Amino acid sequence: MLSPAGKPYDTLEEVIGIRESKGSLKEYGITYRQVDLLPGDKFDLEGIKNAINERTKLVTIQRSKGYQTRKSFSVKEIAELIKFLKDVKPRLKVMVDNCYGEFTDVCEPSEFGADMTVGSLIKNPGGGLAPIGGYIVGTKECIENIAYRLTSPGLGREVGASLDTLKSFYQGLFLSPTVSASALKGAIFAAGIYEKLGFKCVPGFKGERNDIIQAVTFGDPKKLIAFCEAIQAASPIDSFVNPEPWDMPGYDSQVIMAAGTFVSGASIELSADGPLREPYAAYFQGGITWPHVKIGILNTVQALKNKGLIDIK
Ligand SMILES: *Cc1c(COP(=O)(O)O)cnc(C)c1O
């Protein structure tokens, strides 16, 4: 398994076995290599080519930045990378982790040769209604293989527990483009405000957007914590709760998470989090409705001002 875009999202490190853990892919004998990005977040094509050998079967490309301050890749960049990979080794299977990217562009990686495109239903494509789950879109061969592994050999897609969730899945998917648009608008608004306040934002206010995540680099744990507290305080659920940094499972440093959400863990709902490590960046995303994102962001600015952490004339 090869990651040509640097390290994947934190919780996947233990899934793959980059950090030792029980039940990892490593335990099943699956080995992993990664090729880090070049300066400017460019793919290291030479390095990628050299890393592909006769044992390389799967390439996994993560579209969004996760807890990194790199940019998120556009579908166009991913499409070009897929073409390059298939030229180097036509039989490679390419999987795109599309989390947070869905409906932020007019096309998706599945249209450009990705054998599998996967994502989470408690993010964009669940539209805020899906209570749990993920999706996998791909070639017939891959989907069949996955179905047999996921349910039972011989049964595949003929069976599987849906536990009364299907209506929410379909209704959520139906709403998802509009919900994602609200989240995107909110992210642009946040970047606009925080850039004016002098903080580095990724993407910038006018920057290209390929997912709904907005990173605001605070460079100071106090500001990061105050930001997350204020997002929590503006939430529809548990607004009275104060989030605190803690040693969450799956992460290698303390993490603070603000998520007063209807669906536990849903980051298509207004939410913010960040690891307590340099550069102390808050990763902010979601908001089912644009007015709610606006209220949330304005609340963070007020809280930072009240605490004397920012200067507003
Ligand atoms: C959230 C996320 C995941 C995991 O999705 P879950 O629904 O929480 O399992 C994987 N990869 C990336 C890039 C993510 O952002």
Side-chain angles (χ1 to χ4, degrees):
M1 176 177 183
L2 173 73
S3 169
K7 111 181 173 55
Y9 186 70
D10 292 48
T11 55
L12 295 177
E13 290 182 43
E14 280 168 299
V15 173
I16 295 167
I18 303 171
R19 273 184 288 139
E20 289 296 327
S21 76
K22 292 210 186 303
S24 68
L25 294 177
K26 193 174 166 191
E27 273 196 357
Y28 288 88
I30 296 166
T31 57
Y32 168 82
R33 291 179 85 169
Q34 80 184 35
V35 178
D36 290 328
L37 295 170
L38 294 173
D41 298 334
K42 295 276 174 243
F43 297 119
D44 176 5
L45 296 182
E46 198 56 40
I48 293 167
K49 194 173 174 183
N50 292 335
I52 295 172
N53 59 35
E54 67 289 345
R55 295 176 58 224
T56 315
K57 282 180 86 171
L58 176 73
V59 176
T60 175
I61 305 169
Q62 182 177 302
R63 179 167 172 185
S64 97
K65 61 177 89 55
Y67 280 159
Q68 292 161 278
T69 41
R70 73 156 162 88
K71 69 179 200 97
S72 299
F73 301 119
S74 65
V75 174
K76 185 165 175 284
E77 286 168 304
I78 292 171
E80 285 164 8
L81 180 60
I82 294 173
K83 181 168 184 315
F84 176 82
L85 291 162
K86 299 264 177 173
D87 282 346
V88 174
K89 187 170 177 180
R91 289 186 56 233
L92 275 179
K93 294 278 184 284
V94 178
M95 181 183 88
V96 177
D97 179 344
N98 205 24
C99 275
Y100 290 121
E102 299 90 353
F103 306 116
T104 61
D105 200 339
V106 294
C107 51
E108 299 290 343
S110 48
E111 296 165 56
F112 299 94
D115 298 275
M116 291 162 277
T117 303
V118 307
S120 170
L121 290 185
I122 57 173
K123 296 173 185 169
N124 309 17
L129 293 185
I132 192 168
Y135 73 90
I136 306 167
V137 182
T139 62
K140 190 162 189 247
E141 182 200 355
C142 287
I143 295 297
E144 281 185 353
N145 284 345
I146 291 165
Y148 289 125
R149 179 56 74 101
L150 210 58
T151 62
S152 167
L155 298 177
R157 286 206 295 150
E158 295 301 320
V159 298
S162 55
L163 306 179
D164 254 345
T165 53
L166 293 181
K167 185 182 163 202
S168 318
F169 284 179
Y170 293 129
Q171 198 175 0
L173 183 63
F174 174 74
L175 291 175
S176 165
T178 317
V179 170
S180 301
S182 300
L184 209 52
K185 185 169 174 178
I188 296 166
F189 178 71
I193 285 200
Y194 275 94
E195 267 184 8
K196 276 206 176 129
L197 290 170
F199 297 100
K200 181 168 182 256
C201 294
V202 182
F205 172 52
K206 291 191 172 159
E208 175 190 279
R209 285 182 187 267
N210 295 305
D211 63 17
I212 62 164
I213 301 176
Q214 181 61 53
V216 182
T217 307
F218 286 110
D220 173 357
K222 279 209 231 51
K223 289 175 188 154
L224 167 60
I225 292 168
F227 179 92
C228 291
E229 285 175 349
I231 290 290
Q232 182 79 31
S235 298
I237 306 285
D238 287 346
S239 58
F240 59 92
V241 170
N242 202 40
E244 285 179 29
W246 72 294
D247 301 301
M248 288 190 65
Y251 299 87
D252 68 359
S253 58
Q254 286 204 325
V255 179
I256 183 167
M257 290 198 165
T261 54
F262 290 101
V263 171
S264 178
S267 44
I268 185 60
E269 297 184 52
L270 186 67
S271 51
D273 42 58
L276 273 283
R277 65 181 183 224
E278 287 287 349
Y280 297 100
Y283 296 83
F284 151 82
Q285 66 271 312
I288 304 288
T289 67
W290 149 240
H292 181 220
V293 192
K294 189 170 180 182
I295 291 168
I297 290 300
L298 291 177
N299 199 47
T300 64
V301 175
Q302 187 70 53
L304 284 158
K305 182 177 187 295
N306 292 351
K307 290 194 157 79
L309 295 169
I310 51 172
D311 227 1
I312 302 179
K313 267 122 221 145

